[in-house]
Amino acid sequence: MGIINNINKAFDHRVRLGIMSVLMVNEHADFKALKELLDVTDGNLASHAKALEQAGYISVQKQFIGKKPNTKYVVTTTGKTAFKKHLDALEKLINRNQ
């Protein structure tokens, strides 16, 4: 099995890569913070977050703070494992070609 087989297609897009990177180093992030950090539209963030949620890599927690809706994202154990594996594969690929 080649090194590139461990590169996870779910993390191919820069927005998904960004979401996962933020969540790997933070306990959680809300929609507004991710939107600002990644400089994306509401729809773009929502669709990529949904794809990561459907893959089981993040969980979504919706609540109200006062009367305002708040959506919070948390990386799952499965997501942490998959993302680390993805980063390891990229690192091996880069180091192999130096």
Side-chain angles (χ1 to χ4, degrees):
M1 192 191 304
I3 293 172
I4 63 167
N5 290 337
N6 286 327
I7 294 176
N8 192 325
K9 194 128 177 77
F11 308 128
D12 271 0
H13 196 278
R14 70 175 188 85
V15 176
R16 291 182 202 167
L17 190 63
I19 293 168
M20 290 301 293
S21 296
V22 169
L23 294 178
M24 290 293 286
V25 297
N26 293 284
E27 195 175 306
H28 58 80
D30 68 17
F31 188 89
K32 186 178 178 203
L34 281 173
K35 182 182 169 193
E36 289 172 5
L37 277 169
L38 302 175
D39 192 27
V40 293
T41 64
D42 287 6
N44 202 352
L45 179 57
S47 67
H48 288 291
K50 186 175 183 84
L52 290 171
E53 180 187 18
Q54 288 174 337
Y57 295 153
I58 65 171
S59 67
V60 180
Q61 301 167 358
K62 294 185 182 237
Q63 61 185 14
F64 279 87
I65 297 177
K67 292 187 178 189
K68 288 188 167 195
N70 179 269
T71 303
K72 184 166 74 171
Y73 301 96
V74 178
V75 68
T76 64
T77 303
T78 302
K80 284 181 184 178
T81 302
F83 197 65
K84 285 178 184 172
K85 203 171 177 182
H86 177 73
L87 292 179
D88 287 346
L90 288 175
E91 212 171 291
K92 284 178 184 159
L93 185 62
I94 290 165
N95 290 332
R96 185 175 198 190
N97 291 310
Q98 287 184 350

